[in-house]
Amino acid sequence: MKPAPFDYHRPEDLQSALSLLGTHTDASIIAGGQSLVPMMNYRLAQPEHLIDINRLSELDYIREDGDQITIGALARHDAIHASELIAEHMPLISHAYEWIAHKAVRNRGTLCGNLCHADPASEMPAIIQVLEATLILARNGSSREVPAKEFFVGTYDTVCEEDEMLVELRIPKPTAGTGWGFEEVSMRKGDFAWAAVVCLLRVENGRLDDVRVAVSGAAEIALRLPDLEVALAGQAPSSDIFENAATKAVDALAPVGSATVSADYKRDLVRALLPRVLSAATARAS
Ligand SMILES: Cc1cc2nc3c(=O)[nH]c(=O)nc-3n(C[C@H](O)[C@H](O)[C@H](O)COP(=O)(O)OP(=O)(O)OC[C@H]3O[C@@H](n4cnc5c(N)ncnc54)[C@H](O)[C@@H]3O)c2cc1C
């Protein structure tokens, strides 16, 4: 399949890109092209204007900025996967990349493009929610900050407006001693998740504290599980507590089945993965 005709723009800097976005209706940004190009080839996306941000080298960074890490719109998956800064402060991200796509895709695809694509079976939308990241959306002449939990509004849908660009992701460094867990089941390693469960937590005086859990693949968007988090906070960690909490949490989920996996099976997966993720995070917390 070939894409529908479009006008191609290749700005040299951020300001020019934002001006183009503000001028043209029905314009799409192309970053790595790993999701957009297949969508265009299948004619599921038919933008009239394509704004290529690959020359915006000012957005290609992963930086330490006080108590947060900032990631620019052009930081590729592979650069983030290989980053020592990320490995030191956010090993959850480094670990999860073992499950995300394949080398060729990660070499070109960007984390910000992945978030804007908002596939509900994508792992990073769940991860940035437990990390409580902030997304910086810019348009010509202004910008705004959006908390990760408010960014995703539907399948392939976010609060990013047509004339806005996600320019930066700001992720607070988890405090020392925070434990993390990640589990995924997919058809093959590198495929989108049938279900993925991620967790961050702390253990204070033998009790669970600041428990954050999110799932991908099990609903129309990646989402946090606030009832589960509240139920676990202050409890002494044990496998019984985790099993009971997992059973209650999946009752509240409304997974969406697909051609390859039923909604009931997804619910079973989340039910099985939750206690494993909570146990792993507890073991890593110190
Ligand atoms: C074979 C294959 C396997 C894959 N497996 C996985 C997987 O297991 N897990 C997973 O999460 N992903 C997977 N992906 C998707 C991959 O992660 C993509 O890299 C990612 O989804 C999109 O990033 P991109 O930079 O290529 O974005 P693009 O394809 O360029 O753009 C995607 C969308 O985001 C918009 N966009 C891009 N950048 C911005 C921006 N800065 N601001 C506003 N809008 C923007 C575009 O307009 C478009 O709508 C896979 C892809 C392939 C081809």
Side-chain angles (χ1 to χ4, degrees), residues 14-35:
L14 176 58
Q15 185 48 52
S16 309
L18 296 179
S19 299
L20 283 165
L21 268 180
T23 309
H24 296 293
T25 51
D26 201 11
S28 283
I29 290 170
I30 182 163
Q34 299 301 305
S35 295

Side-chain angles (χ1 to χ4, degrees), residues 122-136:
S122 187
E123 297 83 353
M124 284 299 165
I127 289 174
I128 66 155
Q129 289 188 61
V130 294
L131 285 164
E132 299 191 339
T134 300
L135 297 94
I136 312 301

